[in-house]
């Protein structure tokens, strides 16, 4: 969970810097890709999360 939040923070910072600083639009694009990759990672991780905690008898 902390990796997910850290990547969200990195994407936000890159997006803000890329938007605010003239000539660093590529940072906004990189921030968007990091955010998208983070959401895919979270979706895969949370979808598989229920199967791992089975109680074996």
């Amino acid at each position: 969970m902390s990796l997910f939040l850290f990547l969200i923070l990195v994407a936000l910072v890159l997006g803000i810097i890329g938007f605010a600083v003239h000539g660093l639009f590529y940072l906004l694009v990189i921030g968007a890709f990091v955010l998208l990759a983070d959401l895919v990672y979270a979706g895969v991780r949370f979808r598989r999360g229920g199967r791992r905690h089975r109680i074996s008898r």
Side-chain angles (χ1 to χ4, degrees), residues 31-49:
F33 281 130
V34 169
L35 179 65
L36 187 66
D38 187 36
L39 291 176
V40 168
Y41 168 74
V44 169
R45 183 168 169 96
F46 291 139
R47 181 179 296 177
R48 289 188 312 168

Side-chain angles (χ1 to χ4, degrees), residues 1 12 15 20-21 26 31 33-35 41 45 47-48 50 54-57:
M1 184 68 174
L12 261 166
V21 178
Y26 66 93
F33 281 130
V34 169
L35 179 65
Y41 168 74
R45 183 168 169 96
R47 181 179 296 177
R48 289 188 312 168
R54 285 188 176 172
I55 299 173
S56 59
R57 295 182 186 187

